[in-house]
Amino acid sequence: MFPIALSELLFKMPILLVAIWLFGMEGAVGMRMLTALFVAAVSMRAAQQTIGWAAWKQVAEHWRSIVAGGLMAAAIYPLMCDLEHEPRIVLMAAKLVGAVLLAAAVYAIAILALWFVAGRPAGAEAKILNLVRSVIRR
């Protein structure tokens, strides 16, 4: 784990600082995304060497989360584009809270729907539903 964390630090920090200096917050977000992809690739390579799973298999295992994340991003994109043009901070904060709540709802519904489509396999969704059922029965 230490080599991964060290490579992340050595790779991410200088690039992130340059991106902030050149492009401001947008540069920071863009470079954070690119460095996250780099770290994911390094981590998947380490996992492949440790457990023998190819990168495509590691990504395929998480297809429901990836699709739900894409749906969530698509749902809030129009709200986020409009957010920076709001002149009043209180309304900006309210819109941001609304976007966060919408994102959470879309992600939860999408994850649950995709779990059903996948045939309700064992996993976190099943455990959460069992927990909710046990709380409701009380």
Side-chain angles (χ1 to χ4, degrees):
M1 274 318 236
F2 180 72
I4 292 173
L6 182 61
S7 67
E8 181 179 358
L9 177 68
L10 293 175
F11 180 76
K12 187 190 311 184
M13 288 309 294
I15 293 174
L16 191 58
L17 292 173
V18 170
I20 291 170
W21 181 53
L22 292 176
F23 304 107
M25 187 56 71
E26 289 85 5
V29 171
M31 287 315 297
R32 180 65 184 109
M33 184 178 69
L34 290 176
T35 56
L37 290 172
F38 171 77
V39 170
V42 170
S43 298
M44 285 193 289
R45 179 74 174 136
Q48 181 178 7
Q49 291 173 340
T50 304
I51 62 174
W53 279 21
W56 69 266
K57 188 172 183 182
Q58 294 175 50
V59 172
E61 273 300 304
H62 303 285
W63 72 269
R64 294 190 312 267
S65 298
I66 294 167
V67 171
L71 291 171
M72 175 187 68
I76 66 165
Y77 179 76
L79 301 174
M80 300 310 292
C81 287
D82 185 47
L83 192 63
E84 67 183 84
H85 301 295
E86 180 57 57
R88 287 177 265 162
I89 192 76
V90 173
L91 290 178
M92 183 186 289
K95 287 181 179 183
L96 182 60
V97 168
V100 169
L101 293 174
L102 176 64
V106 168
Y107 186 83
I109 291 167
I111 278 289
L112 199 56
L114 292 168
W115 179 66
F116 274 103
V117 167
R120 298 180 352 177
E125 298 92 343
K127 290 179 182 180
I128 291 169
L129 281 179
N130 287 336
L131 179 66
V132 169
R133 285 183 188 132
S134 69
V135 168
I136 290 173
R137 287 184 192 138
R138 290 182 187 175

